[in-house]
Amino acid sequence: MIQGKKFEKARKTAKEWLAKMTLTEKIGQLSQFGTSIYSDDENTYSDHFAEGKVGSYLTIKGAEKTNQVQKELLSKTRLPIPAVFADDVIHGYRTTMPTPLAQSCTWDPAIVEDCGSVQAKEAYRDGIRWTFTPMIDIARDPRWGRIMEGFGEDPFLCSRLTEAAVSGIQGKEIGEKDKLLSCLKHFVAYGACIGGRDYNSVDICEQTLRDVYLPSFKAGVDAGAATIMSAFNDINGVPATANRHTLHDILRKEWGFNGFVVSDAGAINELLNHGFASDPKHAAELAFTAGVDMNMAGDLYNDVLPVLLEEGKVTMEQIDDAVVRILTLKIMLGLMDEPYTEEEDNSRECYFSPEHRAVSREAGKHAIVLLENDGVLPLKKNQKIALVGPLMDNKEHVLGGWACLDDPSKTVSILEGMTEAFGEEQIIAAKGCDIEGDNREGFAEAVAAAEKADVIVAVMGEHRSMSGEAMNRSDIRLPGIQEEFIHTLAQTGKPIVLLASSGRPLVLTNVREKANAMLMMWQLGTETGHAVADVLTGAHNPSGHLTATMPWSVGQIPINYSHFNTGRPALNVCWFESKYMDAPIDPLYPFGYGKSYTEFAYSNAKLDKESISMNETLTVTVDVTNTGDVAGYDVVQLYVRDMVGSRVRPIRELKGFEKVWLEAKETKTLTFTISPADLAFTNNAMQTVTEPGDFQIFVAHHALDSDICLPFCITC
Ligand code: NOJ
């Protein structure tokens, strides 16, 4: 929660400003403009300045440009209230970090925090003070293109990474140099869109909303996130942007959120398309009274809030409250005292600096998930490598979607990274085919390269615009003729290391058998080539673990590990089970899965008690041993199952994890603490309760690992 003396003082000052403002000026603070698909690229709305009708901008880039617009605004307005410049710094401003989904596969809050810090610093240096990050929508449908923007399918992990992201972006106290206001988005349940189709409806029960989709937002609010963006989707028939239940009753009243809410771009006007509002004025009334303080993007609030006030449909108090929320944050940012940003070139020397590249490389190598390895990895220094596939020398698609002012010329391609690591004479490069299309002309050259080599490294996958907003796919296998290309390469008999680069989990079922090693490398950003080489050489022992299930087929989607058991679970004991006739019930790779160049074993797992009361805690200890010959990180995962509930409970839920470094043959004892409150859920009366009864704890390598199961009970 935003709190403390600075906040209280800023609120007081905001009220003093408010007392001097006209109605038009007040509503101007609630209006954001910008260069987006909803407005004209060059229009800075300078004709609005004299009346004070601009509160914020989105996507105006560059220190000179933001300063110039700010200067003009402040020279023309009656009250010198600066605009706050916002942008989508999703995983990098100039130096690009791995996509958020890739970052989440590090299971490392410190890495996510470091990435957030770099993103914030680079954007700050260009005049941005507010970013629409982090995107913390739980995503359980990899067809949905926006799965790449978030932290995966699990509310517990997503919550911990949300806290880290908010801290990296926003710092300890709002207004620090090189920090930005963060914005939790999209409130709420956007990731539950039916069919994985962006903007589509969401139909979930209140309990699922509260237990799955809200926790990451609550964690972000508690961590002090300053703003929240309302989502495009409807939730059970009520659009999120006009949803008083979620925006007012839950966010403001239950959680006490004291920052401000911005709509998504054009989302208020879209209430007409939803069939929820009869005209723009009605839409503004619904959104504003539900709790949307700022309209992104355009004049809607400027135009209609005065009329709505006159008609008694909104109150002056509601307008004042929204204005104070926005002004308070502008004051905390220090904008009233210093509305401009430094223009000196040296303030932007951090772009693509060695320090920022190092953060990207570190995140990248920790994000790569090793799915298969028959021993071909790590590669040996003297091996001849056929480096093939449409992404092997690509500098753009590996940056991923939503990269702000990235610069592909600054990307370390995989070819460059591998050449640096192995030497030019060791690499024979041949693309073989494109990402899409059916041009097989390059197959022969790639096969010839493979025949001359000891090992094939094939870099396959998606281009950057295949995921992100509105980039949904109904077939999430490798696009084009890439599967066929791998099958062709396999005929050479040479071992294949398949690197899959994409924004989303892919269905790799048809190629798995052909690969001796397979890695999800996601889209790793500026330092892609170095991060990949670090893993393939063994300089970094792979440590990434999946944060979203990789399905066996598209037909299994939506798929996630923490589903209910059903009355007829698929146990393969009789015909009438909850199963598919033409596909397994299990995914290709479960949540939490990820291999290493070593092996980790768990032993001596125990609980300090067999039974706890509602005010006691339970301690779980386990010895983790690196049984192999190389050092590495393990991600030890703790899942809980509530055996019987007044509502059916998931077959397991993540309740703890620890990423631990172990030297070869080293053993460490880890301790996890569980309290009854950690096991609470929403009951039929919409109360958050922990019910007494039997539970099981799993200390596991991934969500389907049941080897260590410890029963305990909670008494009344
Ligand atoms: C629409 C997207 O849904 C949102 O995530 C983004 O922040 C805004 N556009 C602004 O670009």
Side-chain angles (χ1 to χ4, degrees):
M1 199 82 66
I2 323 168
Q3 56 196 3
K5 281 200 189 122
K6 186 170 178 183
F7 173 66
E8 296 307 334
K9 196 166 162 232
R11 242 183 102 72
K12 199 163 158 262
T13 316
K15 286 184 182 162
E16 289 162 16
W17 279 94
L18 185 80
K20 298 183 217 154
M21 294 168 84
T22 64
L23 177 65
T24 307
E25 286 164 346
K26 288 178 182 177
I27 297 171
Q29 289 303 308
L30 315 182
S31 303
Q32 185 181 60
F33 295 87
T35 54
S36 75
I37 54 166
Y38 298 96
S39 58
D40 174 348
D41 262 9
E42 288 308 314
N43 193 352
T44 56
Y45 297 84
S46 50
D47 58 335
H48 285 36
F49 293 167
E51 288 175 280
K53 282 180 157 182
V54 175
S56 175
Y57 285 103
L58 76 153
T59 60
I60 289 190
K61 291 182 174 62
E64 286 101 293
K65 181 77 180 171
T66 52
N67 280 348
Q68 175 215 316
V69 173
Q70 191 81 288
K71 202 165 166 196
E72 190 182 348
L73 181 144
L74 292 175
S75 69
K76 290 188 177 160
T77 51
R78 191 182 68 87
L79 283 177
I81 302 178
V84 55
F85 292 91
D87 210 341
D88 290 296
V89 194
I90 308 296
H91 58 114
Y93 186 70
R94 308 288 328 257
T95 319
T96 305
M97 306 294 120
T99 59
L101 183 63
Q103 287 180 36
S104 71
C105 291
T106 66
W107 291 62
D108 196 331
I111 286 181
V112 171
E113 182 168 352
D114 288 347
C115 290
S117 291
V118 170
Q119 291 164 215
K121 179 171 172 180
E122 293 194 359
Y124 184 99
R125 299 299 174 100
D126 240 4
I128 309 298
R129 295 289 179 270
W130 176 23
T131 180
F132 304 128
T133 315
M135 189 282 222
I136 54 171
D137 297 312
I138 299 301
R140 297 177 164 185
D141 190 330
R143 292 172 297 182
W144 188 46
R146 303 201 80 167
I147 195 170
M148 57 82 51
E149 290 175 57
F151 295 139
E153 73 181 45
D154 183 69
F156 181 84
L157 178 62
C158 184
S159 298
R160 302 295 78 76
L161 300 183
T162 298
E163 291 155 357
V166 170
S167 165
I169 292 159
Q170 228 177 246
K172 288 200 172 48
E173 188 165 64
I174 291 167
E176 287 172 35
K177 183 168 192 261
D178 291 337
K179 296 291 176 189
L180 313 176
L181 298 182
S182 66
C183 181
L184 309 175
K185 69 186 189 185
H186 305 82
F187 198 70
V188 59
Y190 188 35
C193 50
I194 295 169
R197 193 154 51 79
D198 209 1
Y199 318 118
N200 203 5
S201 293
V202 166
D203 200 349
I204 52 176
C205 65
E206 178 81 7
Q207 285 87 351
T208 301
L209 177 71
R210 286 178 178 271
D211 295 345
V212 177
Y213 293 93
L214 284 170
S216 50
F217 286 90
K218 175 74 164 65
V221 167
D222 289 348
T227 72
I228 287 190
M229 185 185 294
S230 70
F232 283 128
N233 54 286
D234 73 88
I235 310 163
N236 307 329
V238 180
T241 292
N243 200 311
R244 194 167 159 84
H245 174 56
T246 52
L247 290 168
H248 179 267
D249 301 348
I250 296 178
L251 184 62
R252 293 273 177 220
K253 291 292 156 202
E254 280 183 37
W255 298 356
F257 174 64
N258 52 10
F260 70 84
V261 176
V262 62
S263 75
D264 203 336
I268 303 181
N269 282 307
E270 287 171 21
L271 295 176
L272 274 72
N273 295 343
H274 278 285
F276 197 70
S278 48
D279 56 43
K281 181 158 73 93
H282 187 206
E285 177 194 339
L286 291 168
F288 187 70
T289 55
V292 178
D293 300 304
M294 184 183 278
N295 172 43
M296 178 202 298
D299 263 320
L300 182 64
Y301 274 6
N302 279 337
D303 291 345
V304 304
L305 279 185
V307 188
L308 289 168
L309 179 69
E310 214 173 280
E311 291 173 357
K313 294 194 171 133
V314 306
T315 66
M316 199 63 221
E317 195 188 348
Q318 286 170 324
I319 293 176
D320 284 351
D321 284 350
V323 176
V324 167
R325 286 195 275 264
I326 291 162
L327 288 183
T328 302
L329 286 167
K330 286 190 175 182
I331 292 163
M332 288 184 86
L333 279 174
L335 274 183
M336 304 301 203
D337 306 320
E338 185 43 79
Y340 304 109
T341 199
E342 289 173 38
E343 280 184 36
E344 289 71 41
D345 279 349
N346 65 7
S347 86
R348 289 189 290 279
E349 272 167 8
C350 61
Y351 296 166
F352 302 105
S353 65
E355 293 75 21
H356 286 192
R357 282 180 173 276
V359 174
S360 183
R361 181 174 182 163
E362 185 69 7
K365 67 193 196 192
H366 280 261
I368 295 172
V369 183
L370 180 65
L371 301 170
E372 300 288 345
N373 185 19
D374 69 358
V376 66
L377 291 180
L379 299 174
K380 282 134 215 102
K381 280 277 177 190
N382 57 357
Q383 278 178 313
K384 268 233 172 322
I385 300 163
L387 187 61
V388 304
L391 290 159
M392 66 92 182
D393 63 348
N394 192 279
K395 287 173 172 259
E396 191 186 342
H397 299 309
V398 291
L399 292 175
W402 281 114
C404 242
L405 283 183
D406 61 11
D407 178 352
S409 75
K410 299 277 200 305
T411 307
V412 181
S413 71
I414 293 178
L415 178 59
E416 286 165 349
M418 292 290 282
T419 303
E420 211 179 287
F422 288 89
E424 208 172 322
E425 60 295 342
Q426 298 300 109
I427 313 276
I428 317 165
K431 218 165 100 179
C433 69
D434 298 323
I435 294 172
E436 291 182 286
D438 58 2
N439 185 347
R440 294 172 178 79
E441 276 165 25
F443 276 21
E445 192 195 355
V447 166
E451 269 157 3
K452 282 188 231 133
D454 301 308
V455 59
I456 302 165
V457 173
V459 193
M460 321 289 265
E462 295 183 335
H463 63 68
R464 67 191 304 187
S465 325
M466 283 180 165
S467 62
E469 187 176 347
M471 311 299 186
N472 319 303
R473 293 179 64 207
S474 65
D475 179 353
I476 58 168
R477 292 175 300 168
L478 289 168
I481 51 170
Q482 296 185 62
E483 284 189 352
E484 184 188 329
F485 181 43
I486 294 170
H487 286 246
T488 305
L489 290 168
Q491 284 166 16
T492 64
K494 297 292 167 83
I496 297 179
V497 175
L498 174 61
L499 280 160
S501 172
S502 58
R504 58 164 58 76
L506 297 170
V507 169
L508 296 174
T509 310
N510 293 346
V511 291
R512 173 165 72 160
E513 299 295 302
K514 303 290 173 197
N516 299 72
M518 194 156 83
L519 305 99
M520 270 314 298
M521 62 163 270
W522 312 110
Q523 290 155 332
L524 296 179
T526 306
E527 284 289 304
T528 291
H530 285 147
V532 165
D534 287 341
V535 166
L536 296 191
T537 56
H540 177 78
N541 187 353
S543 54
H545 287 252
L546 296 176
T547 57
T549 303
M550 289 186 67
W552 186 90
S553 68
V554 169
Q556 292 181 322
I557 299 171
I559 183 165
N560 70 292
Y561 80 91
S562 66
H563 56 81
F564 298 141
N565 202 34
T566 81
R568 299 213 175 165
L571 300 173
N572 239 336
V573 290
C574 84
W575 181 249
F576 297 102
E577 292 184 344
S578 180
K579 64 172 193 317
Y580 297 107
M581 293 169 67
D582 56 354
I585 191 76
D586 285 338
L588 194 62
Y589 300 105
F591 174 85
Y593 180 87
K595 288 168 89 81
S596 157
Y597 295 153
T598 185
E599 297 284 334
F600 299 100
Y602 305 154
S603 58
N604 294 327
K606 37 184 186 284
L607 308 178
D608 65 334
K609 307 178 195 77
E610 280 170 9
S611 153
I612 55 168
S613 66
M614 284 295 174
N615 46 24
E616 285 180 299
T617 55
L618 187 74
T619 303
V620 188
T621 48
V622 62
D623 291 343
V624 188
T625 304
N626 178 351
T627 58
D629 296 326
V630 285
Y633 287 100
D634 187 26
V635 176
V636 184
Q637 299 157 42
L638 187 124
Y639 297 90
V640 177
R641 178 170 182 186
D642 183 348
M643 302 308 288
V644 177
S646 60
R647 288 179 58 79
V648 293
R649 309 294 304 123
I651 57 157
R652 60 177 64 183
E653 293 173 284
L654 185 74
K655 293 293 174 188
F657 64 91
E658 191 169 333
K659 187 168 178 176
V660 56
W661 172 260
L662 291 162
E663 297 295 335
K665 310 292 179 212
E666 189 186 9
T667 297
K668 280 184 181 159
T669 303
L670 302 189
T671 303
F672 297 90
T673 306
I674 297 280
S675 76
D678 298 330
L679 308 175
F681 66 97
T682 309
N683 71 8
N684 289 317
M686 300 306 158
Q687 297 151 329
T688 309
V689 292
T690 304
E691 294 180 343
D694 292 332
F695 293 80
Q696 288 177 338
I697 284 192
F698 300 87
V699 179
H701 296 276
H702 56 76
L704 292 183
D705 170 12
S706 302
D707 287 354
I708 297 180
C709 173
L710 308 165
F712 75 100
C713 78
I714 299 184
T715 56
C716 304

